[in-house]
Amino acid sequence: MLDFGVAQHRPRRTVRLETLVRLRWLAIVGQTTAVLAVEYGLEFEFPFWACLAVIALSAWLNVALRLRFHQTQRLDPDRVAWLLAFDIAELAVLLYLTGGLQNPFAFLFLSPVLISATALPPRYTLVLGAFAVVCATVLVFVHYPLPWDADEPLVLPPIYMMAVWLSILLALGFISVYAWQITEESRQLANALAATELALTHEQHLSQLDGLAAAAAHELATPLSTISVIARELERSIEQGSPHAEDVRLLREQATRCREIIAKLTELSSSGEPFDRVKLSTLIEELVAPHRDFGVEIAVTLDRGADTEPVGARNPAILYGVGNILENAVDFANERVTVDATWTDDDVIITVADDGPGFDPDILDRVGEPYVTTRPRRADSDDSEDAGLGLGFFIAKTLLERTGATLRFRNRQPPQRGAVITLRWNRDVFERTAGNPGVTVS
């Protein structure tokens, strides 16, 4: 089938500079407000000017970034990691001046690590998380007193401070992993959907070739008729012994042959098969034919539950989706693949089964999700090859659902072995030329 670079070679992650600058301005405003409130509102004693100097340094960095780079520029992951590391260090210095982990704002250590988890590769998040843990650990033992009322000093027991330190560590780990997993799933789904659109576009281009062939047949009919008439007149006017008589006769015969070919194309186009609409049995044979010469027997069974055979559009989504399922069945089968087609007045059902190992029970409920697969990487393959990303099933399932199909994945009952995939359409939907009704998956 198709090779989807979007899934195998994912784009490098970058972060827009404007995003980081705005987040830092938000932090600067919040830090400045807190410092001013403690100094002039609560009137607690603490290194006020030193705190303002640290905040001013952060503001100066923001101004320098605005002057040095364009605001829409996207930064590479390593540069973003350095900027987030600066934010962690700046917060650590502020906490050092204002009570260490006794300061309730100590949980802001989560912010830079959380941003890294959602925007950067995991290795940068691990480094930033470790840096935040080191800073938090140092602040347990080394810090200025917490700003408080001098007449009623606040003394927190060491066991409570160890609990705060442990809670920060657990929060850094749990929230970062959770954010990374959610974001990664979103990225994978976006990449898989992009590959799905690519597959559908490819199949639509192939289907359009049929229409182009019919249009070409129609347009070529008139000039070929003219050529045939002129060739016939030339053949009559040239003497039998002329050295050009044989060439003119050959020209007339070939023109007649071209007209016969075009007549066949026109007949096919006018009947709607295979260009526009096709019987279910013909569609299945068209999909099965490319896979017959791979050492696996493919048996097709047609069970006529109704007298009239369904006739549907040559939908690119059906062509790709069912074709991909057949290809996977042939790849995993030991000796035999069966394709059973059943139709009634209400339904159209296609069942594809093989005698291979079947679906892994651990992932059976998730078959059809992107990047869920049981296909192993071949020993002789390199990293650039598709190691079985599960993307093919996802694309096939998505495209088939768009046509109104309901898919069911299961394994054969023991002692039989193999996977069974059942596709079911409402007959009216299957025979409809256009439309994309809502679907469900069982």
Side-chain angles (χ1 to χ4, degrees):
M1 307 302 281
L2 296 176
D3 178 24
F4 300 101
V6 66
Q8 297 177 21
H9 305 287
R10 300 180 188 176
R12 190 177 184 185
R13 298 178 184 176
T14 57
V15 178
R16 199 159 62 104
L17 176 63
E18 180 68 12
T19 301
L20 295 178
V21 169
R22 287 182 177 181
L23 289 174
R24 184 175 287 114
W25 280 126
L26 181 62
I28 290 171
V29 171
Q31 293 166 359
T32 304
T33 302
V35 169
L36 293 176
V38 172
E39 173 68 16
Y40 297 106
L42 301 178
E43 297 183 352
F44 291 162
E45 293 185 2
F46 70 103
F48 173 70
W49 293 107
C51 291
L52 288 183
V54 174
I55 297 173
L57 179 62
S58 182
W60 173 85
L61 176 60
N62 254 11
V63 173
L65 289 173
R66 277 293 185 88
L67 296 177
R68 175 63 178 82
F69 301 100
H70 193 276
Q71 61 180 1
T72 60
Q73 181 170 342
R74 306 190 74 87
L75 300 179
D76 291 335
D78 55 345
R79 293 189 175 186
V80 176
W82 279 111
L83 292 176
L84 293 176
F86 171 85
D87 293 335
I88 294 175
E90 187 250 1
L91 178 62
V93 173
L94 284 177
L95 292 174
Y96 165 76
L97 296 172
T98 57
L101 293 192
Q102 296 179 10
N103 193 318
F105 292 103
F107 278 92
L108 289 176
F109 273 129
L110 292 173
S111 300
V113 181
L114 182 60
I115 295 173
S116 175
T118 57
L120 301 182
R123 63 181 182 275
Y124 293 105
T125 302
L126 290 175
V127 173
L128 290 172
F131 181 48
V133 169
V134 170
C135 292
T137 304
V138 172
L139 289 175
V140 173
F141 305 100
V142 182
H143 57 81
Y144 275 69
L146 178 70
W148 204 260
D149 189 350
D151 297 333
E152 298 179 3
L154 177 67
V155 179
L156 297 175
I159 190 171
Y160 176 81
M161 296 309 305
M162 291 304 298
V164 172
W165 174 81
L166 182 61
S167 65
I168 292 178
L169 262 62
L170 293 178
L172 283 171
F174 175 78
I175 296 179
S176 298
V177 171
Y178 180 80
W180 174 83
Q181 184 174 1
I182 295 298
T183 306
E184 186 66 16
E185 289 178 358
S186 299
R187 289 194 187 100
Q188 290 179 348
L189 183 60
N191 291 336
L193 289 174
T196 303
E197 295 298 332
L198 179 63
L200 182 57
T201 301
H202 178 80
E203 293 297 328
Q204 286 174 338
H205 288 169
L206 293 180
S207 296
Q208 289 170 359
L209 292 178
D210 295 338
L212 291 174
H218 176 74
E219 295 295 331
L220 290 174
T222 299
L224 279 175
S225 298
T226 304
I227 293 174
S228 297
V229 172
I230 295 176
R232 189 178 298 108
E233 292 299 326
L234 287 174
E235 188 176 16
R236 292 175 181 175
S237 62
I238 293 179
E239 299 179 358
Q240 292 293 332
S242 173
H244 301 293
E246 183 65 22
D247 294 337
V248 173
R249 184 187 64 80
L250 181 61
L251 176 63
R252 179 183 59 79
E253 292 178 351
Q254 294 302 312
T256 302
R257 183 182 176 188
C258 288
R259 292 185 64 189
E260 292 174 352
I261 295 173
I262 288 177
K264 292 180 180 180
L265 291 176
T266 305
E267 290 174 1
L268 288 172
S269 179
S270 62
S271 65
E273 185 180 331
F275 294 112
D276 300 320
R277 301 183 64 78
V278 62
K279 292 182 178 180
L280 177 61
S281 57
T282 305
L283 175 66
I284 291 177
E285 184 58 35
E286 178 181 341
L287 294 171
V288 167
H291 306 289
R292 288 194 181 277
D293 299 326
F294 291 92
V296 175
E297 178 188 358
I298 302 179
V300 178
T301 303
L302 303 177
D303 184 4
R304 301 173 181 269
D307 294 337
T308 306
E309 183 175 350
V311 178
R314 295 185 74 254
N315 191 317
I318 295 179
L319 294 175
Y320 178 87
V322 180
N324 183 276
I325 291 174
L326 276 170
E327 182 182 25
N328 278 278
V330 172
D331 287 345
F332 283 98
N334 293 323
E335 298 178 353
R336 181 182 174 86
V337 171
T338 60
V339 181
D340 298 325
T342 304
W343 61 87
T344 65
D345 293 332
D346 299 321
D347 298 310
V348 176
I349 303 172
I350 299 177
T351 302
V352 180
D354 62 69
D355 60 353
F359 295 113
D360 188 334
D362 294 336
I363 62 121
L364 184 57
D365 293 337
R366 297 187 294 125
V367 172
E369 295 182 8
Y371 308 101
V372 174
T373 181
T374 58
R375 186 190 297 273
R377 179 184 292 276
R378 298 196 309 269
D380 58 347
S381 65
D382 54 35
D383 292 338
S384 65
E385 292 184 287
D386 186 355
L389 296 174
L391 195 55
F393 259 149
F394 171 79
I395 294 173
K397 176 173 173 284
T398 302
L399 294 180
L400 288 169
E401 287 177 353
R402 289 184 178 184
T403 69
T406 300
L407 284 78
R408 182 188 177 200
F409 302 92
R410 62 184 177 87
N411 288 324
R412 292 179 185 268
Q413 294 295 328
Q416 294 181 326
R417 299 182 60 195
V420 180
I421 302 176
T422 302
L423 299 86
R424 181 189 299 269
W425 288 266
N426 179 278
R427 179 159 179 161
D428 291 338
V429 174
F430 182 83
E431 294 184 326
R432 191 178 306 162
T433 303
N436 184 23
V439 296
T440 59
V441 180
S442 61

